[in-house]
Amino acid sequence: MNSRNELQRQYRTQATLAVSRWLFVALIVIIGIVVWITTPRAKPPDDSVIKNAGIVRQIHVVDSTNNGFRVVYATKGNVTADRLHEIQFRPAIRDSLERLKAAAPLRFGDMLHTDIYDFAEFAVPFDPTDVRIHNIFVFGREKENLYVGDNPRLENEAKWINPGTAQGLLYLTAKEIYYHTSRRRKVYRYFKCRGLDETSDTDEHFSHFTEEERIY
């Protein structure tokens, strides 16, 4: 009788051990699945259906009198928010734009009367990878004041430039910067101006909007 009980106990022990091993394996698998599901995973920077062109950086390229141009850079194409953030902090972009800031005053000297098209042509070769110029504005107190003065087409023309709105300042868009050729008409644009005073064929040094049209 005792030997029969001992034999049954051994069978139960072996069965329990066998089942325990499988239970342990199953528990490990379950824990692994739970960890995989609940652990945040890094998302690739381009993994999103929401993509837009984004502003990368804005710099001032000026001479010793602080006159020159404000250059705004944007992505060449549509990108995700994560990719835009990565581009904005690339050391190569910072270095390229710093080289432009250093080289332009050496090339043009006094930039107060530097033509915006001449500057744009000089600036384009400094474009970093994946980035291009979005627009260029004139910059600096003396240079901006060139766009205040008597306009024969206007009455009560603007008497001052508001740096906060940039209204009336000369600027170029990417279309003029990248697609202008010597065979095409140069278009000089005046920011937030209207009608005949929105563009011109030459760099006109006077006001291109009235005080009534001023944006505050």
Side-chain angles (χ1 to χ4, degrees):
M1 186 70 178
N2 288 336
S3 53
R4 181 184 300 174
N5 291 339
E6 179 64 22
L7 185 60
Q8 290 178 345
R9 189 177 70 233
Q10 290 178 0
Y11 286 153
R12 286 196 297 269
T13 300
Q14 291 174 356
T16 300
L17 290 175
V19 172
S20 296
R21 284 195 293 270
W22 285 109
L23 288 175
F24 180 75
V25 172
L27 180 61
I28 294 299
V29 171
I30 292 171
I31 291 174
I33 293 173
V34 170
V35 170
W36 184 83
I37 293 174
T38 58
T39 300
R41 287 177 295 280
K43 184 174 67 173
D46 298 312
D47 186 16
S48 176
V49 296
I50 302 175
K51 297 183 179 181
N52 298 288
I55 299 300
V56 174
R57 191 166 298 185
Q58 172 181 278
I59 63 172
H60 297 106
V61 183
V62 296
D63 60 20
S64 60
T65 66
N66 203 42
N67 288 294
F69 301 91
R70 175 167 61 91
V71 190
V72 181
Y73 288 87
T75 56
K76 284 185 177 179
N78 293 334
V79 297
T80 65
D82 288 342
R83 177 59 68 190
L84 174 60
H85 184 268
E86 183 271 327
I87 292 173
Q88 288 172 330
F89 287 91
R90 286 180 183 174
I93 290 179
R94 178 199 61 218
D95 294 344
S96 181
L97 302 189
E98 288 298 320
R99 288 197 298 272
L100 172 60
K101 291 166 66 175
L106 298 176
R107 165 64 178 81
F108 296 106
D110 179 2
M111 297 176 69
L112 178 61
H113 297 289
T114 298
D115 183 83
I116 196 169
Y117 272 97
D118 291 342
F119 172 76
E121 183 178 1
F122 178 79
V124 165
F126 290 85
D127 284 359
T129 302
D130 299 328
V131 171
R132 74 173 189 167
I133 300 172
H134 182 63
N135 49 43
I136 300 174
F137 284 80
V138 295
F139 176 80
R141 178 177 297 179
E142 290 82 10
K143 198 168 183 73
E144 292 176 5
N145 283 341
L146 295 176
Y147 302 95
V148 176
D150 294 338
N151 183 336
R153 296 190 295 270
L154 299 178
E155 293 183 6
N156 194 27
E157 61 273 351
K159 304 300 190 295
W160 55 282
I161 295 291
N162 181 348
T165 65
Q167 187 178 13
L169 292 183
L170 177 68
Y171 78 108
L172 299 180
T173 67
K175 179 180 179 180
E176 289 81 47
I177 295 166
Y178 292 99
Y179 303 109
H180 170 75
T181 68
S182 59
R183 295 187 297 275
R184 293 179 60 184
R185 163 182 173 252
K186 286 185 177 180
V187 177
Y188 293 83
R189 297 185 179 276
Y190 304 92
F191 195 60
K192 299 295 183 181
C193 296
R194 299 186 299 181
L196 295 175
D197 290 291
E198 182 179 4
T199 62
S200 63
D201 293 331
T202 60
D203 183 357
E204 297 177 337
H205 289 172
F206 48 68
S207 299
H208 288 78
F209 68 102
T210 66
E211 288 294 341
E212 289 75 18
E213 295 170 328
R214 181 179 294 280
I215 301 170
Y216 290 97

